[in-house]
Amino acid sequence: MARSTGEDAQALIRSLRSAYAATPKNLKIIDLYVAFAVSTALIQVVYMALVGSFPFNSFLSGVLSCVGTAVLAVCLRIQLNKDNKEFKDLAPERAFADFVLCNLVLHLVIMNFLG
Amino acid sequence: MVATDSPAAGGSLRYAFGGVLSFFILVLIGVLAFSIRLFSVIKYESVIHEFDPYFNYRVTQFLTKKGIYDFWNWFDDRTWYPLGRVIGGTVYPGLTLTAGTMWWLANSLNIPLSVETVCVFTAPVFSAFASWAAYLLTKEVKGPGAGLTAAALLAMVPSYISRSVAGSYDNEAVAIFALVNTFYLYVKTLNTGSLFYATLNAISYFYMVCSWGGYTFIINLIPMHVLLCIVTGRYSSRLYIAYAPLVVLGTLLAVLVPVVGFNAVMTSEHFASFLVFIILHVVALVHYIKGILSPRMFKVAVTLVLSVGIILCFAAVAILIAVVAASPTKGWSGRSLSLLDPTYASKYIPIIASVSEHQPPTWPSYFMDINVLAFLVPAGIIACFLPLSDASSFAVLYIVTSVYFSGVMVRLMLVLAPAACIMSGIALSEAFGALTGSIKFHLLASSDSQGNAGDATPVSVLPENGKAKTDKVEETTKERPSKKNRKKEKDVVEKASVSHRPENQRAEKKLWALPIEASVLGILLLVLLGAFYVIHCVWAAAEAYSAPSIVLTSRTHDGLHVFDDFREAYAWLSHNTEVDDKVASWWDYGYQTTAMANRTVIVDNNTWNNTHIATVGTAMSSPEKAAWEIFNSLDVKYVFVIFGGLVGYPSDDINKFLWMVRIGGGVFPHIKEPDYLRDGNYRIDSMATPTMLNSLMYKLSYYRFVETDGKGFDRVRQTEIGKKYFKLTHFEEVFTTHHWMVRIYKLKPPRNRIRGKAKKTKSKATTSSGSNTSPKTKKNPWQ
């Protein structure tokens, strides 16, 4: 049982890797950016756990800015992905422009709240 | 549309004309929404109504005089003496900032509007905007015809009018516009998947958070809808784009508003949004993996992940439950808890229970407030299921939740109003479409049988929501519905016959066409229904909801009587007392006193400190001496009571006395409610209990009342009063208004010299050697 689960897990990982290798380059870059943002958020949470949460507004704005950029990047990826039928007539420039606008608003709020 | 050239040009011309016509209809709807709310300005004057608007008005005055930085940091020391109130951190700034901006804009364009005028007319202007937002929202859900109907209905619905007449300068005036706008932008993002609208949605949500505490409705309804979509298998990437940025940006923006602050991440009202955020990410991940893996590998992945994931989930949920259960109210605030459990407030928080707006509504109030919409809503719900889309499922969820909440608190009928209008707009539009489609079908069938083989444009719009119309409808149109009909008629003016379609489609249409007489009758009756609705709305706006409640009128056989006692009393206070004098009254009148009389008050309508209110309540329920002590300890100079016994005004302080006793008794145990009750009732006649007859409220209300008609007959309680002849020992009457509605008393200062034991001879006014007074005899030093 355990052996077959182990083999299953390995087969799964292999197929995941091969499927993922097929994604286009720009999407992989966005994925990397998302991973970076999420890891920055995790580092901030660990730091907060070590040092305490005062001032809370700075912590909140830091974490939420990381999470926010990750979410927006995922939205951009969704819109740029060729496999998505719903967005096939959306120009990539328009998607990127929306992404930039939303990030501007997000960071304006973050700057205001950082304290 | 596939067609030959000229009909295509004709089609686009028709669409352009339809567009222009709908624009004019929207302008007219805006004018209607604005003008139906002006009855109080016409009947009385341009004055601010009720209680809460006076506070908002005072804050707006401060903002316009001192500027935004001072407003943000304002600490108000003229209320809740001696505690004061941090206005900057406890007020929802949306309304005052909006009105302040409008005033500043008008003045910079050299239009000299006063602050009061801007405040009075803010609500009608924003109700016009709310109607337009409702048009946009319903257009996203069903189509432009339904949109126009919904907008017209919302412009007139009495429940919205009741909180947004000209003069009702309260948070709901702008909040309903913000609510409908946020929902519109959410549905638009859901339909288009555009990140631009998601940004606008977050900004509109920020405006809503600034404006009203009811924003928690949005931040719980939208996650509920996302969950519904996921559970019914309607997950799509547009859902992710609609929800995820809103949560992050929305939470950040909500935290920016000082009155919400860190509550946005720490109270249970917001946890639903975070929970659904996590669930949505899990679902999105699953969806993505499903997309890139083969089905067999996906099954393997699922079994592997489930076994590990379930353990993690249990752990996380256990931690969450432990954290939440540690707080006494499980993290919910009192007001939210009283929404979920309607009996909570009456058991634990008498102040919330005592506000009349927080009582559950009666059945007739539904008919009064949304009238005809009450039975159009179920039809709309059915129409939303044919076909079901993300947007229409949102509309159904909105109406269901708002019906529940309106059943808990009558004040929340206001949140029901836009939902009911949207549903009814959809229902009416579908009904009209089906009926006129049948008529058109019959007419075309009859003309077709005469061998009409003319220009065929296989254009068609086999209307699922049937927008076909005929000229016959023109004759039967009246009033408001006619605007919508006329737009659709012109739309389809010489529409080519559908008769040249293939036979099977003809057969299909035959199946659902109603007989022509039934259709015509149906249309007539629907129009009549609309007419009744309009008549009711105008009546409700004119008679029921336009009273400013600071000025009362009554009609007698010799004309119109105006009772302006409140403003008379506040004017007396502002002219005849020192600027720093403290005035005590029941908390209902606090805002008006600070705004109009400009004096420091002890408690006001904000009711944030229950103990302070209980102190005032105890003072009102105690005998004179004890009350004097309490008021003296608070530095109070003047006390006033509202008394309606002479003219029959039922909302006076004697009728509110039971709350003073209950709230006071809740904090000070020596006030026991049974002491004031005779056979379970509060009475003020000869059968009243001695505690009641000795209480300060009784004495201040009925002092010298017997002089008015010789018998002391109280018109509100409909009996003669119990104790008719008495003197006040610690208070002196300084002013009573024209109709005895406001009675102002001053605290007597303590005497310099205390009388000795010789109290038997009343004529002796001299003092005995004061030092010999034995402390054991309880003499009244103020006699």
Side-chain angles (χ1 to χ4, degrees), chain B residues 621 657 661 672-696 698-699 722-723:
Chain B
S621 326
F657 187 57
V661 171
K672 301 193 228 339
E673 199 178 346
D675 288 345
Y676 298 84
L677 298 173
R678 172 82 66 192
D679 304 327
N681 290 325
Y682 284 89
R683 303 178 68 138
I684 46 95
D685 52 9
S686 49
M687 295 290 289
T689 59
T691 331
M692 180 78 186
L693 293 177
N694 275 329
S695 66
L696 186 72
Y698 180 90
K699 288 198 167 168
K723 191 151 77 168

Side-chain angles (χ1 to χ4, degrees), chain B residues 282-502:
Chain B
V282 169
V283 171
L285 195 64
V286 166
H287 197 79
Y288 171 65
I289 298 214
K290 197 174 193 175
I292 61 173
L293 281 183
S294 66
R296 190 186 63 88
M297 292 311 305
F298 182 63
K299 265 200 207 101
V300 168
V302 164
T303 40
L304 206 59
V305 165
L306 270 183
S307 44
V308 173
I310 285 190
I311 302 175
L312 281 178
C313 253
F314 268 135
V317 166
I319 294 178
L320 188 65
I321 290 182
V323 163
V324 165
S327 80
T329 56
K330 315 279 181 283
W332 293 88
S333 75
R335 289 208 175 177
S336 312
L337 265 177
S338 66
L339 277 182
L340 292 178
D341 172 18
T343 58
Y344 178 80
S346 51
K347 280 186 268 177
Y348 298 107
I349 316 178
I351 282 212
I352 295 184
S354 76
V355 181
S356 68
E357 301 171 317
H358 292 182
Q359 310 302 325
T362 55
W363 283 110
S365 68
Y366 275 94
F367 193 69
M368 170 74 168
D369 274 351
I370 54 175
N371 204 242
V372 155
L373 309 184
F375 30 90
L376 285 176
V377 160
I381 295 181
I382 293 179
C384 275
F385 279 95
L386 320 158
L388 186 69
S389 67
D390 291 339
S392 60
S393 72
F394 177 74
V396 171
L397 195 63
Y398 178 25
I399 183 86
V400 168
T401 48
S402 55
V403 165
Y404 171 71
F405 285 124
S406 72
V408 173
M409 230 189 234
V410 71
R411 184 177 184 183
L412 295 179
M413 292 275 301
L414 182 62
V415 176
L416 175 63
C421 291
I422 293 171
M423 280 298 161
S424 316
I426 292 175
L428 273 178
S429 162
E430 296 292 292
F432 266 106
L435 293 172
T436 50
S438 311
I439 294 181
K440 182 167 175 56
F441 175 72
H442 282 291
L443 284 184
L444 285 174
S446 64
S447 70
D448 187 44
S449 62
Q450 291 160 17
N452 188 357
D455 326 291
T457 44
V459 162
S460 69
V461 174
L462 170 54
E464 328 121 24
N465 43 3
K467 306 246 195 295
K469 288 275 200 284
T470 62
D471 293 327
K472 210 171 196 169
V473 182
E474 219 171 324
E475 288 140 25
T476 57
T477 52
K478 304 181 183 80
E479 293 146 19
R480 183 244 345 136
S482 68
K483 295 177 197 154
K484 172 183 71 71
N485 290 344
R486 230 174 274 135
K487 171 235 172 200
K488 288 198 204 157
E489 285 153 48
K490 300 272 175 68
D491 217 357
V492 186
V493 143
E494 273 103 27
K495 196 161 168 186
S497 67
V498 190
S499 54
H500 289 272
R501 308 179 97 240

Side-chain angles (χ1 to χ4, degrees), chain A residues 17-43:
Chain A
R17 215 179 255 177
S18 59
Y20 188 69
T23 56
K25 193 165 184 190
N26 55 351
L27 294 186
K28 278 198 198 157
I29 294 179
I30 297 180
D31 288 340
L32 206 57
Y33 179 63
V34 172
F36 162 68
V38 171
S39 58
T40 313
L42 283 174
I43 293 177

Side-chain angles (χ1 to χ4, degrees), chain A residues 5 8-9 11-12 15-16 19-20 23 31 56-57 60-61 64-65 67-68 71-72 74-75 77-79 84 86-87 94-95 98-99 101-102 105-106 109-110 112-113, chain B residues 192-199 203 235-238 240-241 244-245 248-249 251-253 255-256 262 265-266 277 281 288-289 292-293 296-298 300-302 304-305:
Chain A
T5 332
D8 274 343
L12 177 65
S15 64
L16 266 179
Y20 188 69
T23 56
D31 288 340
F56 193 56
N57 56 331
L60 211 58
S61 66
L64 283 179
S65 84
V67 173
V71 163
L72 291 177
V74 170
C75 291
R77 187 193 199 278
I78 289 175
Q79 288 183 330
N84 251 328
E86 292 163 340
F87 292 106
R94 166 74 199 266
D98 285 343
F99 170 71
L101 173 72
C102 209
V105 173
L106 176 72
V109 176
I110 298 284
N112 197 11
F113 194 52
Chain B
T192 60
S194 151
L195 200 55
F196 172 64
Y197 281 108
T199 317
I203 294 178
Y235 172 78
S236 65
S237 41
R238 290 172 287 121
Y240 183 86
I241 296 181
V248 179
L249 259 182
T251 308
L252 264 175
L253 287 166
V255 174
L256 272 186
F262 294 142
V265 291
M266 306 224 286
F277 186 65
H281 274 91
Y288 171 65
I289 298 214
I292 61 173
L293 281 183
R296 190 186 63 88
M297 292 311 305
F298 182 63
V300 168
V302 164
L304 206 59
V305 165

Side-chain angles (χ1 to χ4, degrees), chain B residues 161-239:
Chain B
I161 290 185
S162 71
R163 304 287 303 196
S164 67
V165 284
S168 176
Y169 180 55
D170 206 353
N171 288 338
E172 288 93 351
V174 297
I176 298 296
F177 161 66
L179 181 87
V180 181
N181 199 29
T182 309
F183 285 153
Y184 157 63
L185 287 168
Y186 170 68
V187 171
K188 181 94 182 173
T189 316
L190 198 56
N191 280 345
T192 60
S194 151
L195 200 55
F196 172 64
Y197 281 108
T199 317
L200 288 181
N201 188 18
I203 294 178
S204 172
Y205 173 67
F206 173 53
Y207 184 52
M208 179 72 191
V209 173
C210 283
S211 309
W212 196 32
Y215 75 90
T216 48
F217 180 63
I218 297 187
I219 202 63
N220 282 306
L221 181 65
I222 293 186
M224 238 196 281
H225 177 244
V226 170
L227 208 54
L228 180 74
C229 282
I230 291 178
V231 161
T232 54
R234 301 186 77 97
Y235 172 78
S236 65
S237 41
R238 290 172 287 121
L239 190 70

